[in-house]
Amino acid sequence: MSGTDEYVLDYIMLNKDTIQGKVSELASSIRREYEGREVVMIGVLKGAAIFMADLVRCVGPSVDVKMDFIAVSSYGNSSTSSGIVKLVKDMDTYAGGKNLILVEDIMDTGLTLAYLREMFTARAPKSFRTCVLLEKPARKKVETAIDYKGFAVDDEFVVGYGLDYAGKWRHLPDIWRVAKRV
Ligand code: 5GP
């Protein structure tokens, strides 16, 4: 896609209540696994910021949750992934010996997640898991496991709940499909 005005919000694919229900389920799974232990949850900026904020609040006090963030940029345009990932901001925490959960907004081809998995496992954490809100199975190019998975969606470009198109629409509470303006 190119330009920012040629696309419009089409329809709501996942409404805010459906999203919050899933976030609460994912948080329960994380709580069951890490009760009484420390876990460093690493949000991938900027797309996962809103998901991460809701998720950590649902996990609750029985898990010792630490929050950290990384930022990556993928070479290529904003709607396709080149698979070449550049780490723009690293986490502040030392990852060695820690339980890590990477929190991502969406897995499309899987190239970004596969790259990040390799990067984090090379840092010798105690454990490494991934939590991804949306997955597009039809677009998958590499097999990389998602430990805590939200929704599988069709091959449509979506925005809202942290996801953008050219910087727009991240702030919407629902997840929308976008369409070409006619
Ligand atoms: P992957 O490396 O899995 O192909 O791409 C992952 C990244 O592509 C996501 O983190 C996101 O930035 C971007 N992306 C893929 N599909 C979508 C989509 O439908 N909407 C938005 N806003 N970003 C997407």
Side-chain angles (χ1 to χ4, degrees):
M1 289 190 219
S2 62
T4 53
D5 293 334
E6 55 181 311
Y7 285 88
V8 290
L9 296 173
D10 190 18
Y11 60 83
I12 291 178
M13 202 183 238
L14 295 163
N15 71 40
K16 60 176 188 285
D17 294 338
T18 307
I19 299 169
Q20 294 306 325
K22 185 62 79 177
V23 169
S24 157
E25 272 176 36
L26 294 170
S28 300
S29 304
I30 291 171
R31 185 166 53 244
R32 274 195 299 276
E33 190 155 346
Y34 293 94
E35 198 113 56
R37 297 195 286 149
E38 186 197 56
V39 63
V40 184
M41 297 182 62
I42 308 158
V44 184
L45 295 172
K46 298 172 187 162
I50 290 175
F51 175 37
M52 171 91 161
D54 283 345
L55 188 65
V56 292
R57 281 179 290 182
C58 282
V59 170
S62 63
V63 182
D64 181 10
V65 174
K66 302 283 162 49
M67 291 172 69
D68 211 324
F69 292 93
I70 61 167
V72 296
S73 73
S74 162
Y75 294 100
N77 65 38
S78 57
S79 64
T80 56
S81 174
S82 63
I84 306 165
V85 179
K86 182 177 163 201
L87 188 67
V88 177
K89 182 219 171 296
D90 205 343
M91 61 195 288
D92 301 326
T93 321
Y94 176 68
K98 299 274 169 63
N99 294 311
L100 307 179
I101 301 180
L102 187 74
V103 179
E104 249 288 42
D105 50 0
I106 187 163
M107 184 174 106
D108 187 34
T109 60
L111 291 165
T112 305
L113 205 64
Y115 175 91
L116 293 175
R117 173 184 296 281
E118 212 176 296
M119 187 187 90
F120 281 112
T121 50
R123 295 180 179 187
K126 185 173 179 191
S127 65
F128 177 77
R129 303 259 194 280
T130 54
C131 177
V132 180
L133 183 65
L134 304 173
E135 178 202 18
K136 290 184 188 167
R139 300 258 312 158
K140 196 188 284 183
K141 280 193 190 158
V142 288
E143 266 323 311
T144 182
I146 300 175
D147 301 290
Y148 306 101
K149 195 185 303 186
F151 304 97
V153 293
D154 292 340
D155 182 11
E156 306 276 10
F157 197 79
V158 294
V159 299
Y161 198 66
L163 290 148
D164 74 314
Y165 173 63
K168 281 174 71 169
W169 298 316
R170 285 194 203 278
H171 61 297
L172 305 177
D174 308 292
I175 292 175
W176 292 73
R177 174 188 191 265
V178 292
K180 224 172 168 87
R181 189 192 292 277
V182 283

